[in-house]
Amino acid sequence: MRPAGRTGAAVSTRAGIARRELVMAGIRVPRITLWRVVVAVIFAAGLYATYARFALGFSQATHRTDPQPWGLWVGLGTLCGVGLSAGGFGIAAAVYLLGFERYRPVLRTAVLVSFLGYMSVIVGMMYELGLPWRIWHPIFTWNRHSMLFEVSWCVMLYSTVLTLEFSPALVEKIPSKGLRAWYLTQQHRILIGLMLVGCLLSSLHQSFLGWLYLLTKGKLDPLWYTPYLTTLFYLSTIPAGLAVTVMALYLCVRSLNGKLDPKVLTELSRVIAPMLALYGIFRGVDLVTHGAIPYLVRWREETFSFWLEIGLFVVAPLVLLTLEKVQNNPQFLYWTCSLVVMGFMANRLNVSITGLQASAGVYYVPKWTEFAATLMVLTAVVMAFRCAVIYLDILPKNEHARRGGWRRQRRHRNRVSGFRFQVSGFRFQLA
């Protein structure tokens, strides 16, 4: 009998030989890595969740009930997806309407993040709607007294605007020079109009999503219900959208061979901080004027969720963004912006789930299929973003290294110049 170790080694050797033979024959064989296995598992679980949702119904795919009809797919898929996609209209307005040309290198990345965010929202709506095959009805059946009618039209129109904004990155890859030049010329003629319409539509439906929850008066917890919920929704989306953009830019440079002046991230962080401060002040004044202060010290789940939200979204980022060490270090900025994103998500989940549980009398815990479907959509978005950055002209490419971001760029400069240096106090080495 052969030892088990030799048998395993022989199998491994034969597999290696077979792989080399395929490579020599010109057949590309993808490697089986840990992350590819994880992605495959996510998609397998997500596809089953999709089958359960559309073939078996809500009762088999979710834990949603009549008292708690809006769950994870609304709170995370729609509210968070729309809000975290606000960086595109913010940076587009800064570049095209306000003339801040220094943000132009990151414009395509911001628009790409917004475009993919809205695509994920549209896909998520197919899961959360009771009759998704009627999603086209608002186009022809108008109910001007419905907030969802306004939201659906804004999402459709702004998704169209984002598609037109992002289209040059795709059209530039068309082999036909004449067709490419014609389209880019026509798109450039309507560009300013697109920016104006896009800013208007995005601002409207960011607020309209908050307006939707004004219907929950007497049901939504006083820590979140306010007549100014529309304003709070709008004020929170801008810093959250910029934070997602900073995170995407950092990952592009670090892992996807992108090239970017790190001062841009520092300037974006200096925009995020005052927006968070404005939101925090407005939120505090609103709590005082509407008599919600006593609810801040009650021993209950809603109070804990509120303070967690404020700590992640306002207090911790404001403290960190005042530190020069954080402002001048891309990695520290990345983790600080991740706190902003987590705090924003906590706010939307508190409004859509936590704040309604007491009045509903139902403690909602999402079913695993809800998580699986959501995670599958998010994974697809990340994969699409990665492919777009690699194969399209989203950011300038680093000529000196395939991977490694600012760390590799600094090593190359050190080899050329023969000494280490810093630019405007910016630390290029990533911890």
Side-chain angles (χ1 to χ4, degrees), residues 14 22 53 73 81 83 89 93 105 113 136 178 184 231 233 243 248 284 290 309 364 375 382 385 396:
R14 287 196 295 271
L22 290 173
R53 161 64 187 91
W73 289 338
F89 94 86
V113 170
W136 54 271
L184 293 177
T231 306
F233 262 55
H290 290 93
E309 168 198 326
Y364 168 76
L375 190 58
V382 172
F385 179 84

Side-chain angles (χ1 to χ4, degrees), residues 260-286:
L260 178 68
D261 184 357
K263 291 181 181 179
V264 175
L265 300 186
T266 303
E267 291 190 13
L268 289 176
S269 70
R270 291 172 181 167
V271 176
I272 295 173
M275 295 302 301
L276 290 176
L278 177 62
Y279 172 82
I281 293 171
F282 194 96
R283 186 79 182 272
V285 172
D286 181 73

